[in-house]
Amino acid sequence: MRADARRNRERILDAALAVFAARGPSAAMEDVAREAGLGVGTLYRHFPDRRALVEEIAARSLQDLRDELRDLRAGGGPCWDVLSRTVAFCVGQPFALIKSLAEANAAPAGRLALQDEVDDLLMQIAEQAQREGAVRRDIEPREVVDLLSTVVCRPGARTDDALTKVVLDGLRAPVPAPVPEPS
Amino acid sequence: MRADARRNRERILDAALAVFAARGPSAAMEDVAREAGLGVGTLYRHFPDRRALVEEIAARSLQDLRDELRDLRAGGGPCWDVLSRTVAFCVGQPFALIKSLAEANAAPAGRLALQDEVDDLLMQIAEQAQREGAVRRDIEPREVVDLLSTVVCRPGARTDDALTKVVLDGLRAPVPAPVPEPS
DNA sequence: ATGAATCGGATATTCCGGTTCCGTTACGGA
DNA sequence: TCCGTAACGGAACCGGAATATCCGATTCAT
């Protein structure tokens, strides 16, 4: 494979990640090409069709995520920190993409396995945080995961934005502060 | 106007609300017609084009919302209750629709005015809740509104689901509970 | 320098939903 | 009951948007 071809393949992948993350997995191929500074022809040389491109990106992202979650769990530390670092890592990842892919039609078996693996890891992290009292126990672990995924998949989510902060605080508070009387 | 025609007009509006809320404002007209148990022809008899239909729904929903918010504010009561009742009312309203409409192209002046009015009311409710100490003050009123609108616009949002609960608790907690040590 | 690999982007093609049209149905006043 | 007319249904038509192709132009590597 020629050097420029390899370079362009990477560029396409980067551009597609950005564009799909920003505009959803059905963004126009031409937009991806423009973002990469290439022609559509080049794009189709490297990936036979849109599905192939999306699939490659999804697989990469899931692998990154799986590896990161494994490390976080293996690293130990206070389970609350594991949870908030998980959130920090996930925010900004193109999950909305992966999620909408999951809903869409047939994914190859390899990716499904990855998705299950990631889901398991998240559930384990949530369960442990609850077991150790860092997260309130009046909601299901499944709900904790779903809720965090909602927070994290928002377009434009940031680690330090209001919703992220408020949700993390709400999760951590086993007994909410009493409602003060109007002053 | 014949009786069956009036009835069908209502059916279309109901169906469109349901379908647009579920699948976004670009759902197929044919789906709307099917949901209403009518043919597309009938649909076009009542509304000249999709825009007219969407516009009618948006205007109705916004009016309902504006009226409800006015009542809530006028009713007085502890401001926390006003806030949580606001959320309760808003959950399940087809806001995702209105919001995506707002982003989309040209709305008639009348609707824009309504949107501003609703936004003002929400801001007032948020500000008062903060002023009276029911909601933490370390985030901007604007952020409170945005955050609640995120919660409330989710597809499938419910008053008693995990995210709603957690966010309300997180908003109410001026000082989050300390992180417990692992047990 | 040469030719094989790669690129670019105009264009044919496909897809999908909006809108129209007109034959059929059924309401409601006489 | 009967008729005129408003209203309905949905097949067919239309247009735009996005996909994928194709081939002349360009660039790399020997």
Side-chain angles (χ1 to χ4, degrees), chain A residues 2-4 27-29 40 44 49-50:
Chain A
R2 241 165 62 176
D4 56 339
M29 295 298 259
V40 269
Y44 278 93
D49 56 21
R50 109 182 272 105

Side-chain angles (χ1 to χ4, degrees), chain A residues 67-151:
Chain A
D67 294 347
E68 183 71 21
L69 289 181
R70 275 187 180 160
D71 286 355
L72 278 169
R73 253 189 86 62
C79 51
W80 176 261
D81 290 356
V82 172
L83 193 71
S84 58
R85 265 189 254 138
T86 299
V87 170
F89 175 76
C90 290
V91 163
Q93 295 282 110
F95 289 140
L97 172 61
I98 298 174
K99 199 189 257 183
S100 63
L101 243 40
E103 294 158 6
N105 34 25
R111 207 188 69 206
L112 288 180
L114 261 179
Q115 280 172 340
D116 288 349
E117 223 177 315
V118 166
D119 189 62
D120 275 355
L121 282 164
L122 288 173
M123 287 292 279
Q124 285 169 27
I125 289 171
E127 272 167 10
Q128 190 182 347
Q130 286 187 304
R131 230 178 7 252
E132 297 187 4
V135 165
R136 57 199 278 179
R137 291 199 182 84
D138 62 339
I139 57 183
E140 296 296 311
R142 165 95 277 146
E143 286 181 310
V144 176
V145 173
D146 286 350
L147 177 163
L148 289 179
S149 108
T150 302
V151 169

